[in-house]
Every structure is written in C-alpha cells, then in structure tokens.
Amino acid sequence: MRLSRYFIPVLRDDPKEAQIASHRLMLRAGMVRQASAGIYSWLPLGQKVLRRIQEIVHQEQVAAGAIELLMPTLQSADLWRESGRYDDYGKEMLRIRDRHERDLLYGPTNEELVTDIFRQTVKSYKDLPKILYHIQWKFRDEIRPRFGVMRGREFLMKDAYSFDIDSEGSRASYNKMFVAYLRIFARLGLKAVPMAADTGPIGGDMSHEFIILAETGESQVFCDKALLDLDPLAMDVDFDGNLQPIVDQWTGPYAATDEKHDADRFNAQVPVDQQVSARGIEVGHIFNFGTKYSEPMGARVTGPDGALVAAEMGSYGIGVSRLVGAIIEASHDERGIIWPEAVAPFKVGLINLKSGDSTCDSACEDLYARLTKAGVEVLYDDTQDRPGAKFAAMDLIGIPWQVLVGPKGVAAGKFELKCRKTDERIELSADSIVERLT
Ligand code: P5A
C-alpha cells in the first residue's frame, strides 16, 4: 500500500480525552475515531488489526472443534422474557421498539438466541456435543464507557456456546475452550492468565477470566508468578483427547480476581516472593452454567435411554475489539505502538527518504514490488514529508520492520533495516532485505 493513496489520519498532538496509552495511541495513529460515547468508527489501520485478531481467533476456534455461524445484532425481547433475563439485565440493555410495537434489543450477549436455534433443530444426544460460535458486535449501555475501545458501549465479541448431554461432556467442552483461549492469547503475543472469576449476569458456578497484567487494567488480580512462566504454545494439544491435565496445570497454581480472592489461601499456598498482586485487563471470560437457559427455554434432547434432558451448556467470550487496546497496552513505548508480527497491520514500512529523487524512487519501487510479490504486506511511505516526520509516523504506527531508503544507501547499494521493537539497525543489500523479510 502506498501511503499517498491510503488513509491514516495521524494526529500530531495527544488527544485530551485519552487517559491511557492505548487510547491515546489508537487515536494518534489514526486507527479509530469516536462516533459517540463508547462507539467507534474503525479506520483502515484499526480495521486491519481487528481482522488480523479475528483470523487467529477463527483458526483456533475451528481447531478446537467449534463451528462458525452468524447471529444478528438485534434480538426479540420475547426470548429474553423466557429466560427471565429481560428484566434482570437492567439499564445496560439497549431496548428498541419496531414499527409494529414489538420489543427488540441490541444483543449484549447471545445465550438466549443460540438456545432458541438449538431447541428448534437439535433433538437427540446423537447430535451432541456441539460448540457454535460467531464474531459479532454487541451493545452494552455501560454507565461509564472509558479508555477507548477497552470499555466501549458497542464492541466486537467472539462468543461461543457449547451443548452437551451431561455435565461430564460439558466439562470437556469447557476444557476445549480453556485450552483454545490459552493458545489464542499466546499467538496474539500476550501473556494471559486464567483466573477463577465471578459469573455476574451470565450465571453458573464455574468460570475463568483470562487476564493480561497491565497497570491500566480495571481489575485487581492475584496470582502465583509460576503461571507467568508457562508457555501455552509449547504444549502438545490434542483437542480430541483428554485436556484435563493441561487445565489442571493452569488452574493448580493460585490465580483469582478480586471478587474470588481469598487472602488466607493465597498466603498459605504461594510463597511471598512468588506472589503477584497487580492490575489486569480481562480479555476473555468463560462460563459453565449447566441448564440455566436450556431448562426454562425447553432446549431438551432425548438421551440414550429415551428420556428428555435439558442440554448442559457453557458460553465463552473474547473481547475482540478490547484486544486491540490490550495488545497496545502490553506493547508500546514513548514513540508509539510496537505491533507483534502476528497482528501487525503491515509487516514492513518502506520509507523513501527523498521522494522525487529518481534513484531513491526506483530503489523503493523495486523493493516494494519484490516484497509485495513475495506476499509481504508493505506500507510504502512515498509522500513528500520530511524524513523526520516519516520516521516519527512510522514509529507511531508501530509496523515491526522499517526499511530506510536514502540517496547514500542507493549509491552504496545498501539499505537500513530497522526493527521497531529492539531499535536494532543493520545495513543490507536489497536482495538480503527481501530474503530476510519473506
Ligand atoms: C461469554 C460469551 C459473556 O458475555 N456470553 C457470551 C458471555 N461474557 S462477558 O464476560 O460478559 O464478555 C466477554 C468478553 O467481552 C469483553 N467485553 C467488552 N469489551 C469491550 N467493551 C465492553 N464494554 C465489554 N464488555 C465485555 C471482555 O473481554 C469480556 O471478557
């Protein structure tokens, strides 16, 4: 992509409304613009990152056996009356009335809707287990939307729902999502710790929040430092096998959110020098709630003995749009964002230090064409800005690799390759640069 033809409206100054780094940097790097309180337009750079995250989430959900569908954002209030949550949900639910005076709502979550789909279609235990998921916008009329996309009113969520014939099966589904979540967050370059958590309006008695430690996090959390040293991508995972040993390994050491914290147990179980007490960002939350929805909504299937039983269910959420902010909180410096390669909007930023100079232009065009042909996404700064401004913008946007092309380099046949994260720079020939980056 040529920057001159693209759309990245960067801001020179810090926006006043931004209290935390990710919010400030997302606005400054031209990733989002606020449409109204807690509601954002995703500009091209933001949308690209959002897509990258979704792609990883999709891959890992499918690998774990989940099946994608797409449910609407608007739901009928009647379904929520059946589960009893229409009144319980309170002011966070955006209620809408259509021209026929029917009550609708903008979905804050989809337990009711997916249970309705299930009860209409699945009749026998032979069709179980099933895990259905989608990535869809949600609306919660948060009283205090803040920190940009971290606590929005409209936000993108991946939500999955499991259906099993008995609690044992339901536990196995929970474990699949638990392990899939460990892998997803690790692939996104994050260290997320599963912690025992409260269930709130979703319900049930088994629940884990996946938390990233960050000073700007909204939750107070406590855990054993040992959990921070585990690497989910080093585990051998067979989603068709027994995942309990992996889950046990991750739930054995102490980890709890504020609401579930037990100071006595923490002190007894974790040596003082291993105790972590910190702020955290909740990027995922999984629940096992048995028949809380299937029973009142009549989602029953025939079991092996011919008797009708309510499906055992769980639900599993990831804050996809929140993750964009969370990744930035975990990976930035005073100059801007540092994207992990897995989610970077472009892999390479190609900076022409003298646009208009024919030798620089042709060296850049050559590199741009070769990298693009090799399937590498390049943002080519072909604008007339000063080099200083180009460096600052590229650092702000946070593309992992920068290639600097100036008259001296062209003359010597060497160009500077800079790593955004380490600031390391090396001089290489065009061939070596292409080789390194592909
Ligand atoms: C699980 C999936 C649920 O809604 N039902 C379907 C369950 N869980 S949850 O914890 O309430 O939300 C799941 C994740 O969504 C993100 N999230 C938000 N992101 C941005 N702004 C918000 N206002 C917001 N509220 C929730 C969190 O990452 C949460 O873990």
Side-chain angles (χ1 to χ4, degrees), residues 120-137:
Q120 291 179 40
T121 47
V122 180
K123 304 291 176 198
S124 160
Y125 76 96
K126 290 183 191 145
D127 297 323
L128 299 182
K130 283 276 178 289
I131 303 177
L132 304 174
Y133 83 97
H134 70 166
I135 298 181
Q136 178 61 291
W137 293 93

Side-chain angles (χ1 to χ4, degrees), residues 124-125 128-129 163-167 169-170 301-304 309-312:
S124 160
Y125 76 96
L128 299 182
F163 299 88
D164 284 274
I165 188 67
D166 53 27
S167 54
S170 193
V301 294
T302 41
V309 286
E312 291 282 331

Side-chain angles (χ1 to χ4, degrees), residues 85 89 108-111 138 140 142 148-161 181 201-202 209-210 282-287 289 315-323:
R85 278 208 296 183
Y89 221 93
T109 175
N110 283 55
E111 279 80 6
K138 304 286 184 286
R140 293 182 185 174
E142 302 273 353
V149 300
M150 296 275 241
R151 179 165 295 280
R153 293 199 297 161
E154 187 186 47
F155 60 97
L156 192 60
M157 191 202 286
K158 187 287 299 183
D159 37 329
Y161 303 87
Y181 277 34
I202 307 291
E209 281 181 15
F210 288 75
E282 176 200 330
V283 286
H285 198 163
I286 60 178
F287 303 81
F289 40 69
S315 73
Y316 314 89
I318 289 182
V320 175
S321 50
R322 174 178 289 183
L323 271 168

Side-chain angles (χ1 to χ4, degrees), residues 175-236:
N175 288 350
K176 279 187 186 176
M177 290 296 109
F178 187 106
V179 174
Y181 277 34
L182 292 174
R183 289 186 50 84
I184 288 169
F185 298 124
R187 281 189 61 190
L188 295 172
L190 295 169
K191 238 181 208 333
V193 180
M195 304 199 176
D198 250 1
T199 57
I202 307 291
D205 51 18
M206 182 167 61
S207 172
H208 287 92
E209 281 181 15
F210 288 75
I211 302 269
I212 289 164
L213 302 186
E215 276 165 31
T216 48
E218 290 192 286
S219 336
Q220 180 65 38
V221 296
F222 305 85
C223 73
D224 186 332
K225 191 170 163 294
L227 285 165
L228 302 175
D229 301 329
L230 294 174
D231 177 9
L233 299 179
M235 308 179 309
D236 224 353

Side-chain angles (χ1 to χ4, degrees), residues 68-369:
E68 190 187 13
L69 45 54
L70 182 60
M71 291 177 270
T73 51
L74 295 186
Q75 304 179 23
S76 157
D78 286 338
L79 280 178
W80 287 66
R81 292 193 176 103
E82 284 190 56
S83 71
R85 278 208 296 183
Y86 190 60
D87 294 327
D88 288 355
Y89 221 93
K91 291 204 166 183
E92 271 199 16
M93 181 186 275
L94 179 64
R95 294 154 208 261
I96 303 163
R97 185 157 286 172
D98 72 11
R99 66 198 298 166
H100 304 294
E101 303 290 313
R102 281 189 287 249
D103 290 326
L104 299 173
L105 55 98
Y106 194 121
T109 175
N110 283 55
E111 279 80 6
E112 284 79 357
L113 196 49
V114 79
T115 304
D116 183 47
I117 294 171
F118 180 87
R119 71 179 169 184
Q120 291 179 40
T121 47
V122 180
K123 304 291 176 198
S124 160
Y125 76 96
K126 290 183 191 145
D127 297 323
L128 299 182
K130 283 276 178 289
I131 303 177
L132 304 174
Y133 83 97
H134 70 166
I135 298 181
Q136 178 61 291
W137 293 93
K138 304 286 184 286
F139 194 92
R140 293 182 185 174
D141 205 351
E142 302 273 353
I143 189 161
R144 214 169 288 113
R146 58 179 190 156
F147 300 161
V149 300
M150 296 275 241
R151 179 165 295 280
R153 293 199 297 161
E154 187 186 47
F155 60 97
L156 192 60
M157 191 202 286
K158 187 287 299 183
D159 37 329
Y161 303 87
S162 65
F163 299 88
D164 284 274
I165 188 67
D166 53 27
S167 54
E168 205 179 301
S170 193
R171 179 72 209 224
S173 294
Y174 188 89
N175 288 350
K176 279 187 186 176
M177 290 296 109
F178 187 106
V179 174
Y181 277 34
L182 292 174
R183 289 186 50 84
I184 288 169
F185 298 124
R187 281 189 61 190
L188 295 172
L190 295 169
K191 238 181 208 333
V193 180
M195 304 199 176
D198 250 1
T199 57
I202 307 291
D205 51 18
M206 182 167 61
S207 172
H208 287 92
E209 281 181 15
F210 288 75
I211 302 269
I212 289 164
L213 302 186
E215 276 165 31
T216 48
E218 290 192 286
S219 336
Q220 180 65 38
V221 296
F222 305 85
C223 73
D224 186 332
K225 191 170 163 294
L227 285 165
L228 302 175
D229 301 329
L230 294 174
D231 177 9
L233 299 179
M235 308 179 309
D236 224 353
V237 177
D238 170 13
F239 280 104
D240 291 323
N242 178 15
L243 297 173
Q244 196 62 48
I246 296 181
V247 173
D248 289 345
Q249 189 190 356
W250 283 85
T251 52
Y254 188 96
T257 57
D258 211 9
E259 305 84 41
K260 286 277 178 186
H261 181 52
D262 174 345
D264 293 339
R265 199 160 70 76
F266 188 45
N267 290 323
Q269 203 177 320
V270 188
V272 177
D273 60 346
Q274 284 279 110
Q275 291 184 358
V276 177
S277 155
R279 306 293 296 175
I281 302 169
E282 176 200 330
V283 286
H285 198 163
I286 60 178
F287 303 81
N288 185 284
F289 40 69
T291 60
K292 174 174 171 179
Y293 301 91
S294 54
E295 190 65 63
M297 294 184 67
R300 299 196 180 85
V301 294
T302 41
D305 57 1
L308 273 178
V309 286
E312 291 282 331
M313 291 175 59
S315 73
Y316 314 89
I318 289 182
V320 175
S321 50
R322 174 178 289 183
L323 271 168
V324 180
I327 292 169
I328 297 174
E329 285 299 323
S331 185
H332 69 273
D333 62 15
E334 63 295 338
R335 285 177 287 144
I337 302 167
I338 305 172
W339 290 114
E341 265 192 45
V343 296
F346 295 90
K347 181 173 177 182
V348 180
L350 175 61
I351 301 183
N352 189 339
L353 297 171
K354 204 167 182 196
S355 297
D357 173 292
S358 61
T359 57
C360 287
D361 289 353
S362 67
C364 283
E365 290 295 338
D366 175 59
L367 273 169
Y368 182 56

